[in-house]
Amino acid sequence: MRQKNKIRTFGLIGKSLSHSFSSSYFNEKFYKEEITNTEYINFELEDISKFTQLIKTQNLSGLNVTIPYKESVIPFLDDLSADAKSIGAVNTIQFINGKLIGHNTDIIGFKKSIIPILESRNTALILGDGGAAKAVKFALNQLNISHKTVSRKGSFNYLDISIQTIEFYRIIINTTPLGMASEIANYPKLPYEALTEKHLLFDLIYNPSETLFLKYGRTHNSSTKNGLEMLQIQAEASWNIWNS
Ligand code: NAP
């Protein structure tokens, strides 16, 4: 049984957290739902090697993980959920009986957010190949959507994207940080002129609410969606894990 008046502390680890919505999302949730004696704090870590010290010095009940530590945090954990293990990325840490268990709720967040707007589209181009892209690929596999990844360092990079590529892939998903609040003038380099009303552009970025990537899609009559609902769904899924 939970001790009366004991503060439960949850938080987010990442390198630069000033643009993250997670702490305002959770603190507003605690307020609205009258969840008392509970707080959600940002913990900026300059390096993942500081993780052990954080765990020792803070009495934590659960953590979220963001850029750039979703993969590098894994060696510090005791175990992983099946999904987190299979994709090799963690965005949620459960503290249970002194053990740290890694989960990935980006998968369910992305999946539930894109399903209602998929229509009959079943081909996707994924921009970027970091931690979030792993969750996106896993979800697309579950949805039987064939996909190709565009990576600066991979076998298919931005210079390889032709008009025909855009004509073939009806869903384009931005998992890069291009366009986020700290760099709003940036956007993935694509032949945007090939976009049509048949396309769906999904940006994992939610701040700003419309990146240039989404704006160019809208200009070409494509459907667009930002990452806000994904963020909310993954946050609720994290909350459920911490309270299970
Ligand atoms: P990450 O692990 O750092 O991966 C981002 C990837 O983007 C990199 O691996 C890189 O792929 C590519 N990239 C980085 N800088 C680039 C540049 N200048 N030009 C082109 N490509 C670049 O980050 P992440 O954790 O996957 O997160 C990515 C984005 O998704 C962030 O904006 C994050 O806030 C957002 N996100 C949102 C949600 C949500 O709930 N809405 C959840 C997770 C993440 P290559 O090196 O392969 O090109």
Side-chain angles (χ1 to χ4, degrees):
M1 199 202 239
R2 214 175 286 154
Q3 256 177 286
K4 215 179 167 190
N5 294 331
K6 185 172 172 264
I7 298 261
R8 297 172 80 209
T9 303
F10 299 89
L12 173 66
I13 61 163
K15 193 154 195 157
S16 168
L17 300 174
S18 56
H19 299 296
S20 171
F21 276 15
S22 292
S23 80
S24 52
Y25 178 82
F26 275 110
N27 286 310
E28 271 170 38
K29 171 185 170 70
F30 299 154
Y31 178 75
K32 276 193 232 144
E33 297 178 20
E34 298 181 14
I35 300 168
T36 54
N37 298 323
T38 308
E39 60 184 2
Y40 190 99
I41 300 173
N42 281 345
F43 297 105
E44 288 194 351
L45 303 183
E46 65 189 36
D47 191 89
I48 194 63
S49 62
K50 306 276 188 252
F51 181 78
T52 310
Q53 197 190 350
L54 175 81
I55 299 299
K56 277 190 195 148
T57 54
Q58 303 283 332
N59 186 16
L60 296 166
S61 299
L63 279 174
N64 285 128
V65 184
T66 189
I67 297 182
Y69 301 133
K70 287 184 182 180
E71 295 159 76
S72 55
V73 76
I74 290 176
F76 296 89
L77 307 179
D78 297 297
D79 205 353
L80 299 177
S81 71
D83 287 356
K85 191 179 281 178
S86 114
I87 65 174
V90 161
N91 80 327
T92 303
I93 302 174
Q94 179 185 26
F95 291 61
I96 188 161
N97 303 329
K99 300 242 185 270
L100 305 182
I101 316 294
H103 298 257
N104 194 304
T105 65
D106 286 337
I107 301 168
I108 189 77
F110 173 75
K111 202 162 110 175
K112 282 196 171 172
S113 183
I114 201 167
I115 281 176
I117 51 170
L118 275 177
E119 297 179 352
S120 58
R121 301 175 185 98
N122 61 4
T123 50
L125 199 60
I126 303 166
L127 311 178
D129 200 14
K134 289 189 160 76
V136 164
K137 284 185 229 184
F138 191 83
L140 292 176
N141 287 340
Q142 290 179 331
L143 295 169
N144 288 320
I145 294 175
S146 65
H147 51 85
K148 190 171 188 74
T149 301
V150 185
S151 165
R152 294 167 303 172
K153 56 189 186 299
S155 57
F156 192 78
N157 66 51
Y158 291 86
L159 296 174
D160 297 314
I161 306 175
S162 64
I163 300 270
Q164 289 73 26
T165 312
I166 302 295
E167 282 170 357
F168 182 75
Y169 293 98
R170 294 287 171 83
I171 308 165
I172 306 179
I173 303 157
N174 179 35
T175 75
T176 79
L178 295 173
M180 63 193 288
S182 53
E183 42 177 312
I184 52 167
N186 280 334
Y187 56 92
K189 300 294 178 291
L190 305 174
Y192 286 95
E193 66 276 13
L195 291 172
T196 66
E197 75 287 350
K198 298 198 171 94
H199 288 88
L200 166 64
L201 269 58
F202 191 107
D203 202 331
L204 267 61
I205 295 171
Y206 49 83
N207 181 19
S209 57
E210 187 180 62
T211 55
L212 283 179
F213 167 73
L214 292 186
K215 186 178 172 193
Y216 295 151
R218 184 168 55 81
T219 310
H220 290 89
N221 302 315
S222 304
S223 299
T224 62
K225 186 162 188 171
N226 70 22
L228 184 59
E229 188 187 51
M230 173 177 169
L231 176 86
Q232 292 164 344
I233 296 169
Q234 65 81 24
E236 286 302 319
S238 297
W239 181 246
N240 290 338
I241 287 169
W242 296 329
N243 289 288
S244 61

